[in-house]
Amino acid sequence: MHAPLTHFDAQGQAHMVDVGAKSPTHRVAVAQGLIHMQAATLERVRTGSAKKGDVLGVARLAGIMAAKKTSDLIPLCHPIALTRVALAFEVLADACTVRCVATAETVGPTGVEMEALTAVQVALLTIYDMCKAADRSMVMTDVKLLEKHGGQSGSFVAA
């Protein structure tokens, strides 16, 4: 049996979930995504020689900024006080891929999964934007929640 969708009321109308009665807890979410590109593009990213500059540095800042703006982008997300957002990049040369992992944390009544996922997506979009003049064939894949901890539902770790 599937859990009920919490963003719909008894009449089936979308609404913001009331988290007012929930106790604040430490919450962490980790998400990832990949961007595949041509080998020459990956080399520019790796060496910092792209025309627009430090691709991964700018993507890191874009991801952090995006996490902070998640409730402005996703209609039913609560604005939350983030205590930490971190992005890490791994260059996978053999696969011509950059892997982005975002971690978001808060102490509050609702989770940070959407903030971590938004950080990943915007970081990958920023890499695309900064490299598109050289490689329009880049593909973003495998954006997913890796783990989340805290709250009433406990922990989740992807298989």
Side-chain angles (χ1 to χ4, degrees):
M1 183 173 135
H2 296 313
L5 298 176
T6 58
H7 286 89
F8 294 96
D9 64 16
Q11 292 75 40
Q13 297 176 337
H15 72 102
M16 183 179 253
V17 175
D18 182 358
V19 297
K22 293 171 77 177
S23 297
T25 62
H26 180 242
R27 296 163 183 268
V28 179
V30 181
Q32 77 148 27
L34 307 174
I35 185 165
H36 308 279
M37 60 192 69
Q38 296 171 6
T41 307
L42 184 66
E43 183 62 15
R44 287 180 177 173
V45 170
R46 190 187 67 72
T47 61
S49 62
K51 276 188 177 181
K52 292 186 177 182
D54 178 8
V55 173
L56 299 182
V58 173
R60 179 176 292 106
L61 292 175
I64 292 168
M65 291 173 65
K68 294 177 358 180
K69 293 291 189 179
T70 298
S71 67
D72 291 336
L73 300 169
I74 311 296
L76 300 177
C77 280
H78 292 84
I80 62 174
L82 292 165
T83 57
R84 178 174 176 255
V85 178
L87 279 84
F89 297 95
E90 180 182 7
V91 174
L92 306 169
D94 291 346
C96 294
T97 298
V98 175
R99 178 177 183 243
C100 174
V101 176
T103 303
E105 295 188 44
T106 192
V107 175
T110 190
V112 288
E113 296 96 315
M114 295 308 298
E115 287 73 11
L117 288 162
T118 300
V120 166
Q121 289 282 42
V122 171
L124 296 178
L125 286 168
T126 300
I127 293 170
Y128 187 95
D129 178 54
M130 293 187 71
C131 297
K132 70 182 182 282
D135 184 358
R136 294 195 190 273
S137 66
M138 290 176 282
V139 176
M140 292 164 270
T141 65
D142 299 306
V143 174
K144 63 183 178 180
L145 182 68
L146 295 177
E147 59 187 89
K148 76 85 148 174
H149 304 282
Q152 292 176 343
S153 63
S155 293
F156 164 82
V157 178

